[in-house]
Amino acid sequence: GGNCGQNCCDPGDYLDIGDRDGAAVNVGMLAGHEFFRRQAGAADKYAHTTPGQRAAMADAIATALDRGCAGLSYGIRYVPGIDREELLATAAPCRRDGKFIAAHIRSDAEEVFDAARELLDTGRELGIPVELSHIGSMAGFGQMERFLAMADEYKMNGLDVSCDCYPYYAFSTTLGSTTYDEGWRDRYHCGYDVVELCEGKYKGRRCTREIFDELRRDD
C-alpha cells in the first residue's frame, strides 16, 4: 500500500492498527512522499520546496520508516514540482536500512526514458534499491523492449532495480491530475474519446471535449 506517494493517513499509524487488529492479507506499507510534502506545508504541486520543507519531510519519512514502512513512494507525475534536491533529501533516510524508493515516474510514452533515469540515478547516487511503478502502462506505448533493456543496464552495473505491473492494459487516474495537463493528447496520439469515465454523472461514457472541460473545471 501507499503507492504513488499517497497515504490516506499516517502510514505508521496504519501499520500500528494492522498490528493491533490483524489483517486478512499480508500488508507491506510505503511512506507516501506526497502525504509528507503536504504536511510540510508544500501545497503547490507545481512549486519547488524550500530547504526547511525538505528537512521536515526527511525527518517525518525517517520516522515512518522506523515505524515499519518498507520504503518510500513518489508520484512524480502528480507532483511535478519535485526536483533533484527534493528527491535526494527525501530518499536519503532509506539508506540507513537499505529500504527502497518506488515511483510513478515523471512521464510516460516516449518521455519515459528520461523520467526513469531521474529515479534510477537517484537510487544509484544514494546506493538504495529502486522500483519503477506500474511499468505496463508507463512504457506501454511501444517502448517496453527498449525500456527493459535500459533497466537491465542499470541492474548489470550494480543497482537493485525492479518493476511492478498491474494486470490490465489501461491506466486509471482522475481528470484533474497532471496527467491531463495541456499536451496529453499529443503525448498519447489520441482524442478525447479514449477516456472512459468511471464515476459521477457521466459514468460509463466516453469523454468528449465538452465533458473533459467541464470535469477539469468543476471536479
Side-chain angles (χ1 to χ4, degrees), residues 19-150:
D19 288 341
R20 184 192 69 199
D21 296 343
V25 296
N26 294 324
V27 176
M29 196 68 194
L30 298 175
H33 163 265
E34 184 181 0
F35 174 83
F36 292 107
R37 196 179 204 261
R38 291 196 308 270
Q39 282 202 330
D44 185 349
K45 61 187 176 184
Y46 295 99
H48 298 322
T49 49
T50 66
Q53 288 169 335
R54 293 193 291 272
M57 282 189 281
D59 286 345
I61 289 165
T63 298
L65 296 174
D66 286 344
R67 294 181 69 187
C69 286
L72 172 66
S73 77
Y74 295 91
I76 306 175
R77 156 69 83 187
Y78 301 124
V79 188
I82 298 171
D83 57 15
R84 181 175 180 274
E85 287 75 15
E86 186 170 344
L87 278 173
L88 290 171
T90 52
C94 291
R95 287 185 297 184
R96 187 173 64 190
D97 296 317
K99 295 188 175 183
F100 69 98
I101 54 173
H104 183 140
I105 52 180
R106 192 174 296 275
S107 196
D108 51 18
E110 283 300 325
E111 300 171 2
V112 74
F113 301 100
D114 286 342
R117 290 188 191 98
E118 178 181 38
L119 188 73
L120 292 164
D121 289 343
T122 299
R124 181 166 61 182
E125 184 166 344
L126 294 174
I128 54 177
V130 172
E131 181 169 334
L132 299 158
S133 295
H134 35 66
I135 204 58
S137 66
M138 301 303 288
F141 300 86
Q143 300 80 26
M144 188 61 71
E145 187 172 348
R146 286 183 291 150
F147 186 89
L148 292 177
M150 182 187 71

Side-chain angles (χ1 to χ4, degrees), residues 4 6 34 45-46 75-80 104-106 108 134 138 171-185 187-188 195 197 199 212 214-219:
C4 298
Q6 298 170 2
E34 184 181 0
K45 61 187 176 184
Y46 295 99
I76 306 175
R77 156 69 83 187
Y78 301 124
V79 188
H104 183 140
I105 52 180
R106 192 174 296 275
D108 51 18
H134 35 66
M138 301 303 288
F171 64 77
S172 176
T173 191
T174 61
L175 281 185
S177 76
T178 51
T179 297
Y180 292 105
D181 283 357
E182 190 66 33
W184 68 274
R185 288 177 299 141
R187 187 168 67 252
Y188 299 130
V195 178
L197 285 305
E199 59 186 7
F212 179 85
E214 176 189 336
L215 295 179
R216 282 281 285 187
R217 182 187 67 242
D218 298 339
D219 270 354

Side-chain angles (χ1 to χ4, degrees), residues 8 14 120 162 164 174 181:
C8 62
Y14 184 92
L120 292 164
S162 59
D164 63 59
T174 61
D181 283 357

